[in-house]
Amino acid sequence: MKNNPKELIDDLKVIRTIHSNQFRKFANYNNVYLVITIIVAVIISFIGFSGIDNLSKLIGSNENPYNKDIIQFIMNLMTLLILVVTVLGLIFKFERKTSKSYNAIVNLTEFISDVEFTYLSDTSTEKTFKSEDLPLYSHKYKSLINSLPPTKDSHYYKALKTIKKKKKIKKFIESEEYDNKNKIERLIYLFKL
């Protein structure tokens, strides 16, 4: 753990950004998974409740004996698809990963706020941790880091890029150029970053 609160906070913000990126990714995966599951389940339910005979009459004439077989095949394929989607959901556990990343963000933000309030507020003159506080913050830091989900080096580099992009966005929003552009021009500029 670093002895300088500012450096520690900077490191924790990078770690928080890593988990924020992970949270966003897993939340998107989970949403796509849920949409696919719902669509397939609705199609299976529609075919099942409508009945194969009624659907074959609706789709085509009774002269084609293959209509019922095709509809039965589609229903069987969709049933298999719902089974595959369910198994993939159990394997990848997007919802659990989303929850873990969210909890990491909350815990990191709480720790960052605690250090900022104690050492970086306007009234604080401390530039390093007090000797009596160092064991406490060191223990909190170790406990927090050990409770976080594992990450890769590529997540670290992506987090640095995300932080750099956020700084550019903040600089643009605080600039006079931002005030001179209309909403569409602002959005176009931000998407180019």
Side-chain angles (χ1 to χ4, degrees):
M1 189 183 102
K2 301 195 183 239
N3 198 24
N4 183 330
K6 176 75 173 111
E7 291 176 6
L8 176 66
I9 288 172
D10 290 342
D11 289 349
L12 290 171
K13 285 182 178 179
V14 171
I15 296 169
R16 182 176 63 184
T17 303
I18 290 170
H19 291 285
S20 177
N21 290 343
Q22 291 296 100
F23 171 78
R24 201 173 311 113
K25 178 175 86 171
F26 291 129
N28 288 338
Y29 289 166
N30 191 48
N31 290 339
V32 169
Y33 165 74
L34 287 174
V35 167
I36 290 171
T37 305
I38 290 170
I39 289 172
V40 172
V42 165
I43 291 171
I44 290 173
S45 299
F46 176 75
I47 292 173
F49 287 127
S50 296
I52 295 173
D53 292 333
N54 291 337
L55 282 177
S56 67
K57 288 177 189 176
L58 184 67
I59 291 175
S61 65
N62 289 334
E63 298 167 6
N64 188 353
Y66 297 110
N67 278 347
K68 289 181 183 179
D69 293 338
I70 291 171
I71 293 172
Q72 183 66 45
F73 177 74
I74 290 172
M75 185 168 175
N76 292 341
L77 195 63
M78 292 299 212
T79 305
L80 177 65
L81 186 60
I82 196 97
L83 176 68
V84 169
V85 167
T86 303
V87 169
L88 288 175
L90 293 172
I91 291 170
F92 291 117
K93 302 176 184 171
F94 295 128
E95 193 170 342
R96 180 184 285 175
K97 291 178 181 179
T98 302
S99 178
K100 283 184 176 183
S101 295
Y102 178 77
N103 288 336
I105 294 167
V106 169
N107 292 335
L108 285 162
T109 302
E110 183 180 304
F111 188 58
I112 290 168
S113 298
D114 185 29
V115 173
E116 282 180 339
F117 179 75
T118 306
Y119 286 96
L120 299 179
S121 64
D122 294 336
T123 58
S124 176
T125 58
E126 300 291 328
K127 297 297 180 201
T128 60
F129 286 108
K130 295 176 189 171
S131 58
E132 62 269 11
D133 287 347
L134 194 57
L136 172 70
Y137 282 107
S138 179
H139 177 72
K140 280 184 175 181
Y141 177 79
K142 288 176 186 175
S143 298
L144 178 62
I145 295 301
N146 289 334
S147 71
L148 298 177
T151 59
K152 299 187 246 177
D153 288 344
S154 61
H155 298 152
Y156 174 77
Y157 297 122
K158 185 172 181 178
L160 292 178
K161 288 179 185 177
T162 302
I163 290 170
K164 186 177 179 182
K165 185 176 179 179
K166 285 181 179 180
K167 286 180 181 179
K168 284 181 182 179
I169 291 171
K170 181 180 178 184
K171 185 177 177 184
F172 170 67
I173 290 173
E174 291 174 346
S175 72
E176 200 173 301
E177 182 182 2
Y178 179 81
D179 296 331
N180 296 333
K181 293 183 183 268
N182 64 34
K183 288 181 181 180
I184 294 176
E185 290 174 329
R186 290 176 189 166
L187 288 173
I188 291 171
Y189 182 82
L190 291 173
F191 279 118
K192 288 182 181 178
L193 291 177

